[in-house]
């Protein structure tokens, strides 16, 4: 731009120089006050100030404000500058307003009117200044005022490319800061999506960022972007760098646009259209091929740009998880990075391979790099890379390599950084139990683990050892033997004393015939550790002594002497004193028969989910705790929750901790659910497909998830009342404040459902979660879904999430059993047209008998065998419970595998219910 008189502003330069030359804070204040007085007088006295002088004084006020001083005048003069036709004056006016926004409503209206005038200007420079100002302020008033003006600029055919770019980025800013206030017209959706095909790559790059944000709020509305995104990506990756010279960064064509397009496609499942999927696979294949080509430049910018596109492509391949060849190629490419000189590349490669290890297609390919990962664990200098190596070893572990990996992790644990030791202990404990073929090996590993890293062994770990020993009769003798040997070490960790004390108290009699471990030797060895332990451990040891009274009557008087000792009988610790007093009295007054009854051996613990997985997800909330693909057999592991006399209940412990998210795909055979928390969803091991209606076929599900928050639900229905637990997990690195959640029933739904939800905490800490319980009562049959609204502040920015709350009528179905005669008698009685609804539809998924059976059972029906003459057909019944009536329902599902079609017929005792149930079920098969 040509030099103008206003560009110099000599007075401003002199003022800044004076401030810099001040020798003290007092001198600076005097100079500032003098200048403020001068500016105030000029604004008041001289009404004929020209644009240059106003601009100069406004600049001085802005500089003073940036030094940390309050400014209480000059706002109107800055607003007046917005009306100027000179670029420099208008620029300073917008700069002042963007930095010092006055809260006066009157002033805001003036500003908004000036901005609107500039947005309608034919001068693209003025339009861009206005857009930048709106984006910089980005508050609710701006979003409401320009919710129509800015989108029109974006989709108008007359708008210049530079303005379209700014408009797209401005909308993105408003969407991030005020998503509830920015309501885009649905008629503009197709035109916004079409910007992906804009000839100007700058516009396309800005548009894809906007669409990516909008997709997260309304994925179905913007589903049309998939085809255009794949098409645009294909044109870029198949071109040479000379085709995009203006947008080529160190020989890489449009790397930022490629990365954004690949990230956009990760918001959706793999395309259903074979041609689009084939084209996308070709793009990904081309990106992998280009990664094998020699570098065109030795500069780091070239490799960074190329690797950025490559890693995002690999993320998309992992997200799709359906092309085995691409997954294996991606794994091989990442394997080459494991020995790269760049630390960042090694870190990213390990992180991506952790995800690849969870895929059945690429798990074996990941295992080929086991030795390289182990070497990285031993030789890597950067602790974060070593931690990712531990994660990858954990993820790639299965039955074939479990012993090698556990041994390597144990060896490294002795020299590992203190920051990752607790996490490593949990992973070693989980792997050694999950893949234990011989539980003697498991016990050896666990006691060695406690010996090496006793300070980092949490209560859940040694509770779990006790669980396994109590539940497996074949290892109890061996457990007592090695626990006794572990106690003989000169330096014995307190956690080892706890484990040994518990095991000897239960099973010490199994080794008592050995002259090296007689009852008295066991007692003396254990008591030699007593005074070195904390009060909690002493309480446990006192319980062991009492068990010895029952197991070994010959040492009863030795134990009574200990209990009578002042250090116990008159201990300052109330728990120790109470135990000593009660145990002593019990040993004195009870007969051997009564003692044997009171102190009988602990029964096996009930089978529940392992608490170690919960604890691990507290350490790594955004990663799956069960990294390996191979499922655990119930014959080789006993997942139980521990309840020990002298330790807190694990279920209570798990609730007290902020653990994020346990797997929801564990089958719940007894119809009840655990007091645990939710985790990222994994694919069900027993089904080939997942329902697209959340919470329809399961008792627990993830009902909403984005980059900030994950919302899970668990439900259990009794008649017409459903008890639910909602889990809100904060996935971000910032606390969520002013958190509120509301489930509303509008219209007819108000008389059909009754909600009763407990209050919820207002703050969710970073990487933590909170739980909300409540009940939903079904007053009568319903069709519509309640609306859920969640608001919170994230990083000081307000956020709002609205979606339909997935409570369907089938949640109130109770299975009904009947024989063939009763079934067809009831079927014939429900013969009115309004009581029956039938639908014939094509199969959307593979027609597998077990899958269909599982889905029908998950829906709530009973599955009656021997009812239909055709064994391939499904028949069943259920009763829908409401507070006012019970609705009987019968169904018949007839698959035709040759035609790949289904016929679903449902009859119900209440008009219209059969149609609603068919609408819920038809897209599940």
């Amino acid at each position: 731009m040509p030099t103008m008189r206003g560009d110099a502003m000599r007075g401003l330069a002199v003022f800044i120089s004076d401030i810099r030359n001040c020798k003290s804070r007092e001198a600076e204040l005097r100079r500032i006050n003098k200048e403020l007085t001068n500016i105030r007088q000029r604004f008041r006295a001289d009404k004929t100030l020209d644009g240059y002088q106003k601009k100069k004084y406004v600049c001085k006020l802005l500089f003073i404000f940036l030094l940390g001083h309050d400014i209480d005048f000059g706002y109107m003069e800055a607003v007046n500058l917005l009306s100027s036709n000179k670029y420099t004056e208008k620029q300073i006016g917008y700069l002042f307003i963007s930095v010092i926004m006055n809260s006066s409503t009157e002033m805001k209206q003036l500003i908004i009117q000036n901005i609107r005038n500039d947005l309608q200007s034919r001068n693209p420079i003025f339009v861009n200044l206005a857009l930048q100002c709106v984006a910089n302020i980005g508050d609710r008033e701006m979003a409401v005022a320009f919710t129509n003006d800015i989108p029109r600029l974006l989709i108008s055919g007359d708008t210049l490319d530079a303005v379209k770019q700014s408009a797209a980025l401005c909308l993105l800013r408003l969407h991030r800061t005020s998503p509830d206030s920015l309501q885009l017209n649905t008629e503009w959706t197709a035109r916004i999506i079409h910007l992906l095909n804009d000839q100007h790559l700058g516009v396309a790059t800005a548009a894809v960022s906007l669409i990516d944000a909008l997709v997260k709020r309304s994925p179905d509305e913007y589903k049309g972007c998939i085809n255009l995104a794949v098409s645009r990506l294909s044109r870029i990756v198949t071109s040479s760098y000379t085709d995009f010279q203006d947008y080529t960064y160190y020989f890489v064509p449009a790397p930022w646009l490629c990365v954004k397009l690949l990230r956009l496609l990760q918001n959706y499942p793999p395309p259903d259209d074979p041609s689009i999927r084939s084209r996308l696979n070709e793009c990904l294949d081309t990106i992998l091929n280009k990664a094998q080509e020699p570098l065109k430049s030795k500069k780091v910018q070239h490799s960074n740009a190329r690797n950025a596109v490559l890693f995002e492509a690999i993320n998309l391949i992992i997200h799709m998880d359906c092309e085995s060849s691409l997954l294996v190629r991606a794994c091989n490419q990442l394997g080459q990075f494991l020995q790269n000189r760049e630390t960042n590349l090694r870190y990213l490669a390990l992180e991506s391979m952790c995800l690849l290890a969870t895929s059945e297609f690429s798990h074996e390919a990941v295992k080929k790099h086991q030795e390289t990962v182990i070497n990285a664990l031993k030789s890597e200098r950067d602790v974060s890379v070593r931690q990712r190596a531990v994660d990858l070893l954990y993820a790639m572990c299965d039955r074939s390599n479990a012993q090698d990996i556990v041994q390597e992790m144990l060896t490294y644990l002795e020299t590992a950084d203190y920051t990752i030791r607790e996490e490593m202990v949990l992973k070693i404990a989980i792997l050694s139990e999950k893949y234990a073929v011989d539980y003697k090996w498991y016990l050896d590993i666990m006691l060695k683990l406690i010996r090496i890293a006793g300070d980092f062994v949490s209560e859940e770990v040694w509770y779990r050892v006790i669980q396994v020993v109590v539940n497996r009769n074949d290892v109890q003798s061996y457990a007592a033997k090695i626990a006794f040997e572990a106690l003989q070490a000169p330096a014995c960790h307190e956690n080892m004393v706890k484990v040994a004390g518990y095991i000897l108290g239960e099973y010490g009699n199994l080794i008592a015939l050995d002259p090296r471990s007689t009852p008295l030797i066991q007692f003396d060895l254990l008591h030699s550790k007593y005074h070195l332990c904390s009060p909690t451990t002493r309480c446990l040891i006192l319980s062991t002594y009492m068990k010895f009274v029952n197991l070994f009557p010959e040492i009863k008087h030795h134990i009574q002497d200990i209990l009578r000792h002042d250090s116990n009988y008159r201990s300052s610790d109330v728990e120790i004193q109470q135990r000593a007093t009660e145990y002593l009295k019990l040993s004195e007054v009870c007969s051997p028969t009564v003692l044997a009854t009171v102190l009988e051996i602990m029964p096996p613990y009930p089978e529940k989910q392992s608490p170690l997985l919960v604890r691990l997800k507290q350490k790594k909330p955004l990663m799956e705790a069960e990294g390996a693909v191979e499922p655990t057999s119930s014959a080789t592991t006993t997942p139980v929750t521990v309840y020990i006399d002298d330790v807190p209940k694990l279920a209570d412990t798990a609730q007290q901790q902020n653990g994020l998210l346990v797997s929801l795909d564990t089958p719940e055979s007894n119809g009840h659910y655990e007091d645990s928390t939710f985790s990222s969803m994994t694919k069900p091991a027993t089904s080939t497909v997942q329902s697209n209606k959340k919470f329809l076929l399961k008792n627990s599900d993830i009902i909403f998830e984005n980059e900030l928050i994950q919302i899970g639900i668990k439900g259990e229905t009794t008649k017409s009342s459903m008890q639910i637990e909602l889990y809100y997990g904060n996935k971000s690195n910032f606390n969520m404040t002013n958190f509120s959640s509301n489930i509303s029933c509008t219209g007819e739904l108000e008389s059909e459902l009754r909600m009763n939800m407990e209050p919820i905490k207002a703050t969710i800490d970073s990487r933590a979660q909170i739980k909300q319980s409540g009940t939903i009562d079904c007053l009568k049959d319903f069709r519509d879904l309640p609306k859920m609204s969640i608001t919170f502040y994230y990083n000081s920015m307000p956020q709002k999430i609205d979606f339909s709350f997935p409570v369907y009528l089938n949640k109130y179905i109770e299975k009904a059993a009947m024989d063939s005669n009763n079934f067809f008698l009831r079927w014939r009685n429900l013969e009115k047209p309004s009581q029956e609804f039938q639908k014939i539809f094509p199969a959307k998924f593979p027609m597998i008998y077990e899958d269909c059976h599982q889905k029908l059972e998950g829906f709530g029906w009973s599955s009656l065998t021997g009812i239909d003459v055709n064994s391939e057909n499904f028949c069943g019944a259920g009763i829908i419970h409401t507070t006012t009536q019970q609705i009987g329902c019968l169904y018949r599902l007839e698959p035709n595998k040759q035609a790949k079609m289904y016929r679903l017929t449902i009859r119900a005792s209440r008009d219209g219910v059969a149609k609603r149930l068919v609408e819920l079920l038809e897209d599940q098969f």
Side-chain angles (χ1 to χ4, degrees), residues 220 223 689-697 701 806 808 844-845 919-925:
D220 293 336
K223 199 170 184 179
V689 294
Q690 283 188 329
S691 168
N692 60 348
K693 291 186 174 74
K694 300 293 186 181
F695 198 45
L696 179 69
L697 303 180
D701 209 342
Y808 303 98
K844 299 179 177 63
F845 305 107
E919 289 171 350
L920 290 176
L921 266 178
E922 64 176 323
D923 59 352
Q924 306 303 313
F925 296 96

Side-chain angles (χ1 to χ4, degrees), residues 399 429-436 626-628 630-633 636-637:
R399 298 194 186 285
I430 291 170
L431 294 178
S432 58
E433 180 191 354
K434 185 174 183 179
Y435 300 114
E626 295 190 74
E630 186 173 351
T632 305
S633 169
T636 58
T637 176

Side-chain angles (χ1 to χ4, degrees), residues 521-550:
I521 293 176
Q522 290 185 43
F523 170 71
D524 289 339
L525 180 60
L526 188 58
H527 193 62
S528 66
K529 314 293 183 184
Y530 181 81
H531 297 289
L532 303 175
C533 297
S534 65
T536 303
T537 306
R538 291 186 190 183
C539 290
L540 186 148
I541 295 175
L542 289 177
S543 297
T544 300
Y545 291 167
M546 198 58 204
K547 291 272 188 174
F548 280 173
V549 170
N550 177 50

Side-chain angles (χ1 to χ4, degrees), residues 193-206:
I193 292 175
H194 192 70
L195 290 173
L196 293 176
N197 261 345
D198 197 282
Q199 292 182 351
H200 193 276
L201 289 187
V203 174
T205 305

Side-chain angles (χ1 to χ4, degrees), residues 426-664:
L426 287 171
K427 289 182 174 179
I428 293 171
I430 291 170
L431 294 178
S432 58
E433 180 191 354
K434 185 174 183 179
Y435 300 114
V437 178
D438 179 4
Y439 271 83
K440 292 181 179 179
W441 172 78
Y442 166 75
L443 291 174
D444 289 336
I445 292 295
M446 294 309 297
L447 292 188
K448 185 177 181 181
L449 184 65
I450 296 173
R451 178 180 59 80
I452 292 174
D455 290 336
F456 301 92
V457 174
S458 62
E459 289 184 335
E460 290 87 350
V461 174
W462 72 265
Y463 290 175
R464 191 65 174 162
V465 177
I466 299 300
Q467 280 185 327
V468 172
V469 173
V470 171
N471 284 36
R472 300 192 67 88
N473 297 330
D474 56 327
V475 297
Q476 289 166 356
S477 175
Y478 182 75
K481 175 177 176 292
I482 62 174
F484 176 78
E485 292 172 352
L487 275 181
Q488 293 175 326
C492 190
H493 195 275
E494 188 168 335
N495 282 333
M496 186 73 79
V497 176
K498 292 178 182 177
V499 173
Y502 192 100
I503 292 176
L504 292 177
E506 297 292 334
Y507 313 110
N509 59 311
L510 300 178
I511 60 171
L513 296 179
D514 190 328
R516 295 169 296 180
S517 55
T518 61
L520 186 58
I521 293 176
Q522 290 185 43
F523 170 71
D524 289 339
L525 180 60
L526 188 58
H527 193 62
S528 66
K529 314 293 183 184
Y530 181 81
H531 297 289
L532 303 175
C533 297
S534 65
T536 303
T537 306
R538 291 186 190 183
C539 290
L540 186 148
I541 295 175
L542 289 177
S543 297
T544 300
Y545 291 167
M546 198 58 204
K547 291 272 188 174
F548 280 173
V549 170
N550 177 50
L551 294 176
F552 314 123
E554 63 269 26
I555 63 170
K556 177 179 177 179
H557 63 282
H558 291 283
I559 294 172
Q560 289 177 334
D561 290 341
I562 296 299
L563 295 175
R564 290 192 190 98
H565 196 277
D566 286 349
S567 62
N568 296 319
Y569 201 77
R570 292 183 173 83
S571 172
S572 59
D573 187 279
V574 176
E575 182 67 20
I576 292 177
Q577 183 185 119
Q578 183 177 353
R579 290 194 184 218
T581 305
E582 292 178 356
Y583 288 163
L584 178 60
K585 199 66 176 176
L586 190 65
S587 67
E588 291 174 346
V589 302
C590 292
S591 65
T593 305
V594 174
L595 278 178
T597 304
V598 174
L599 302 172
E600 65 179 348
I601 194 169
M602 285 289 292
Y605 294 102
E607 293 191 357
K608 292 183 181 179
Q609 169 114 15
S610 169
L612 299 184
L613 296 177
V614 182
R615 184 58 183 264
L616 181 59
K617 283 156 190 157
Q618 295 166 12
K619 303 293 292 179
K620 306 287 281 187
L622 298 184
M623 295 182 62
E624 275 300 316
E626 295 190 74
V629 173
E630 186 173 351
T632 305
S633 169
S634 58
T636 58
T637 176
T638 53
V640 237
T641 302
V642 171
Y643 297 98
I644 304 182
D645 292 343
D646 301 300
V647 294
K649 294 184 178 181
L650 281 187
D652 297 339
T653 305
Q655 289 179 358
Q656 293 166 4
Q657 294 162 337
N658 290 329
L660 209 47
L661 318 178
V662 197
S663 176
L664 298 178

Side-chain angles (χ1 to χ4, degrees), residues 351 354-359 388 390-396 423 427 430-431 434 609 612-629 660-666 677-684 690 702 705 710 731:
E351 190 173 47
C354 286
L355 299 175
L356 281 172
T358 62
S359 171
R388 290 287 82 80
V390 171
D391 293 340
L392 181 52
L393 286 175
Y394 175 78
M396 70 168 61
E423 183 186 327
K427 289 182 174 179
I430 291 170
L431 294 178
K434 185 174 183 179
Q609 169 114 15
L612 299 184
L613 296 177
V614 182
R615 184 58 183 264
L616 181 59
K617 283 156 190 157
Q618 295 166 12
K619 303 293 292 179
K620 306 287 281 187
L622 298 184
M623 295 182 62
E624 275 300 316
E626 295 190 74
V629 173
L660 209 47
L661 318 178
V662 197
S663 176
L664 298 178
D665 295 310
T666 304
T677 48
F678 278 89
S679 89
S680 306
M681 289 299 295
T682 55
K683 293 185 178 178
Q690 283 188 329
I702 300 297
E705 183 170 14
Q710 183 186 66
K731 297 167 60 177

